[in-house]
Amino acid sequence: MNKIGKPYFFAVDLGATSGRTIVGHLDEGQIKLEEVTRFPNNLIEQGGHYYWDIHALYFEMIRGLKEVANRSLNITSIGIDTWGVDFVCIGDDGAILRNPRAYRDPITFEAMDDYLQNVVSRQEVYSITGIQFLNFNSLFQLYAMQREGNTALKCAQKILFVPDALSWMLTGEMVCEYTIASTSQMLDPRTKELDEKLLASVGLTKEMFGRMVMPGTQIGVLTEEVQRLTGLGPVPVIAVAGHDTGSAVAAVPAKDEKFAYLSSGTWSLMGIETKEPIISNLSYERNFTNEGGIEGTTRFLKNICGMWLYERCRLEWPEEIRQLSHPELQGQAMTVEPFRSIINPDDSAFAAPTSMIAAIQKYCHDTNQPIPETPAEICRCIFDSLALRYRQVFEWLKEFASFDLDVLHIIGGGSLNKYLNQFTANATGATILAGPQECTAIGNIMMQAQAMKQVGDIWEMRSIIAKSTDLVTYEPEDKEIWDKAYKKYLKITTK
């Protein structure tokens, strides 16, 4: 690491399977990152439920902070981003009431339909929130917990979303950060406040949440206890875009507002950045979502299944296949017949099957297509289908956007997938700009830099990110072939 005295920003970046602490600094108009610690985020299965170990995550934050203190780094501020929707219940004595439930908990499987049929209608919920319907959204988790008589919820004086809970553990200050709150399906994106009717429908009030803050707000400083544990001083903790996708989209290295983005990983999130939410009959029909972005923007996007399909199949393949690198296996997939078998990646059959391979094969059988058998055939089926699904969503986005769309930025881990990136260019007809890979951590750190007055607005941030990133360009090819394949995709997936 660099010499003592240079100001660093400390990012806690937590995903649903692993977490990292990272330091970053600005150097001659570019952003430089270095990983400090990496650790698993273990899903705990107990008593028929799934939980997150919130104290283990706190421990890992402290461990990372101790490490930078031991290296005598000058930490200017701290920011935390995590996955969305999940929350922590706090008692009137200031204690955490049980580990928080994880969004994959089976209690939510039936709760959404029950709530929408018997409490508030589907159309009304969407008209208030503009959020797409996913059974694990906070609103339905809370309804399920209320329905089961959950003790932690009954005794809760405060409810904090996961990044806000971790910030509270560091500072003692309770806030409700806008981007993470927007994932709950309880926030009105026009007022940028939690909706009282939806809160009341699950027995809650606004007062049970921390004060609403926007990204870039200082939450507080490290408590004396945390200072003692880490060896640091009263370092400020900044509310970055607490939702990891919010931080990722903040790091899109776009030159102007006329772009779409694809955050590519286990989930794919494709959307545009808008000044106002888009809530209409058409966005409701197509189940688009309006999540909070930085500087008061809205992330108008759609969740797409993403590399979840490939990851699950890879776990099932024989050991000799799993030992192949991703480029080796994907290279084999490029040698088999294209568009032989096509699926809808967002079909409910692929949400959580016992066997992903069996689910893909059954879908192909049920739609009278050749059944992919080998890993290469299955991989090719997944990549072809994802690219065609991206085209469908991209064309919908062009209908919603108030500007021309001909550039698609691919960010996240999937930005390194050269085969899928080229397929996406071919399918959508858009120029693809791939990178950066570390978009979530970059967005987290750049929001801290903005809060500490080291950079200006979002466009200055993005200019710095663009200068710091080696973007890879993919231009569309084989238009006629992909147009024909898209017609086949629409025919199969609309049956």
Side-chain angles (χ1 to χ4, degrees):
M1 294 218 185
N2 290 13
K3 63 183 181 180
I4 297 171
K6 179 172 289 189
Y8 285 87
F9 304 102
F10 184 90
V12 180
D13 178 22
L14 300 178
T17 56
S18 65
R20 301 177 302 162
T21 62
I22 295 169
V23 290
H25 68 277
L26 299 177
D27 183 17
E28 297 181 354
Q30 295 191 0
I31 182 169
K32 309 288 186 181
L33 301 184
E34 185 173 347
E35 187 174 290
V36 180
T37 60
R38 180 181 287 267
F39 47 89
N41 182 15
N42 295 309
L43 198 62
I44 302 167
E45 183 177 2
Q46 191 273 319
H49 294 290
Y50 292 99
Y51 299 91
W52 300 115
D53 190 339
I54 195 73
H55 290 102
L57 296 176
Y58 170 74
F59 170 82
E60 293 293 352
M61 288 197 303
I62 297 297
R63 184 168 73 92
L65 290 168
K66 286 170 73 173
E67 178 65 22
V68 297
N70 289 340
R71 298 185 195 184
S72 300
L73 294 182
N74 175 19
I75 300 300
T76 301
S77 63
I78 298 163
I80 302 168
D81 68 77
T82 78
W83 67 96
V85 309
D86 290 340
F87 50 86
V88 178
C89 295
I90 312 294
D92 58 8
D93 59 353
I96 292 172
L97 301 173
R98 192 183 294 159
N99 268 328
R101 287 272 176 83
Y103 67 89
R104 292 197 184 276
D105 192 289
I107 194 174
T108 65
F109 289 175
E110 308 298 330
M112 181 177 79
D113 290 341
D114 189 8
Y115 178 93
L116 296 173
Q117 288 171 14
N118 299 308
V119 184
V120 183
S121 73
R122 179 179 288 264
Q123 280 192 303
E124 185 175 4
V125 171
Y126 190 84
S127 69
I128 293 170
T129 66
I131 293 291
Q132 76 181 113
F133 291 95
L134 298 167
N135 67 279
F136 50 69
N137 288 346
S138 314
L139 177 64
F140 309 124
Q141 288 196 47
L142 286 159
Y143 178 65
M145 290 169 70
Q146 183 189 50
R147 197 171 57 169
E148 71 169 357
N150 183 276
T151 305
L153 182 60
K154 278 183 182 178
C155 298
Q157 293 296 305
K158 289 285 185 181
I159 291 177
L160 300 177
F161 296 104
V162 170
D164 300 331
L166 294 168
S167 295
W168 164 71
M169 294 170 86
L170 293 181
T171 66
E173 299 290 334
M174 293 186 177
V175 300
C176 182
E177 189 276 319
Y178 168 61
T179 69
I180 199 74
S182 74
T183 69
S184 68
Q185 204 153 40
M186 298 188 296
L187 183 135
D188 185 330
R190 289 154 295 218
T191 65
K192 296 181 170 53
E193 294 287 344
L194 294 169
D195 182 77
E196 291 183 358
K197 177 174 181 177
L198 295 178
L199 291 177
S201 73
V202 288
L204 305 179
T205 64
K206 276 187 183 180
E207 290 68 37
M208 293 180 70
F209 294 80
R211 72 183 190 278
M212 186 68 67
V213 297
M214 301 300 285
T217 304
Q218 181 171 319
I219 297 170
V221 299
L222 296 181
T223 63
E224 291 184 6
E225 177 185 51
V226 173
Q227 292 179 48
R228 175 176 54 78
L229 289 171
T230 61
L232 294 171
V235 179
V237 177
I238 305 299
V240 297
H243 185 212
D244 52 11
T245 310
S247 279
V249 173
V252 173
K255 62 181 181 180
D256 58 38
E257 64 187 16
K258 297 178 181 179
F259 71 94
Y261 56 83
L262 174 61
S263 181
S264 179
T266 301
W267 283 94
S268 290
L269 301 106
M270 183 183 282
I272 54 177
E273 195 172 67
T274 63
K275 291 183 172 63
E276 300 294 335
I278 301 173
I279 302 176
S280 65
N281 288 336
L282 192 57
S283 68
Y284 167 74
E285 240 174 70
R286 292 175 175 168
N287 207 19
F288 273 78
T289 203
N290 291 267
E291 293 177 352
I294 65 171
E295 297 190 2
T297 56
T298 293
R299 292 176 287 121
F300 181 74
L301 61 89
K302 189 166 180 65
N303 281 12
I304 303 168
C305 192
M307 293 300 285
W308 164 254
L309 298 157
Y310 171 80
E311 291 163 3
R312 299 304 296 179
C313 288
R314 191 176 173 88
L315 290 175
E316 295 182 50
W317 284 323
E319 179 65 23
E320 63 268 23
I321 300 298
R322 293 202 303 274
Q323 287 181 347
L324 294 175
S325 69
H326 294 296
E328 285 174 325
L329 175 57
Q330 293 164 14
Q332 289 182 12
M334 297 306 109
T335 67
V336 304
E337 181 185 346
F339 314 120
R340 179 173 177 267
S341 310
I342 293 171
I343 61 172
N344 176 3
D346 290 327
D347 191 279
S348 59
F350 308 125
T354 305
S355 165
M356 185 63 78
I357 293 172
I360 290 171
Q361 291 175 334
K362 183 177 186 302
Y363 185 100
C364 294
H365 174 270
D366 292 348
T367 50
N368 299 313
Q369 300 181 81
I371 295 173
E373 300 286 354
T374 68
E377 288 173 345
I378 293 169
C379 181
R380 186 61 188 252
C381 169
I382 291 169
F383 280 26
D384 286 348
S385 302
L386 278 173
L388 293 166
R389 177 60 166 167
Y390 293 160
R391 171 170 174 167
Q392 185 174 39
V393 175
F394 189 72
E395 292 196 351
W396 287 342
L397 283 171
K398 288 197 283 190
E399 292 179 43
F400 288 114
S402 60
F403 45 83
D404 292 335
L405 273 184
D406 51 19
V407 173
L408 175 62
H409 284 268
I410 298 182
I411 56 176
S415 67
L416 301 179
N417 190 325
K418 63 180 183 179
Y419 298 115
L420 186 54
N421 292 345
Q422 185 61 60
F423 283 7
T424 304
N426 297 350
T428 61
T431 297
I432 301 298
L433 297 176
Q437 177 192 359
E438 301 286 359
C439 52
T440 307
I442 290 172
N444 179 323
I445 286 167
M446 290 303 289
M447 280 309 304
Q448 293 184 58
Q450 186 190 60
M452 304 308 285
K453 311 297 184 189
Q454 289 199 21
V455 298
D457 67 5
I458 188 173
W459 297 110
E460 183 179 350
M461 289 167 47
R462 286 177 168 158
S463 174
I464 291 169
I465 294 165
K467 290 174 188 172
S468 310
T469 306
D470 293 325
L471 297 178
V472 181
T473 303
Y474 298 85
E475 296 291 353
E477 300 172 354
D478 303 325
K479 183 178 187 303
E480 288 184 10
I481 294 171
W482 281 86
D483 284 348
K484 183 178 178 181
Y486 185 57
K487 287 178 182 175
K488 179 179 178 180
Y489 164 86
L490 291 176
K491 185 177 180 182
I492 290 166
T493 60
T494 52
K495 281 185 180 179

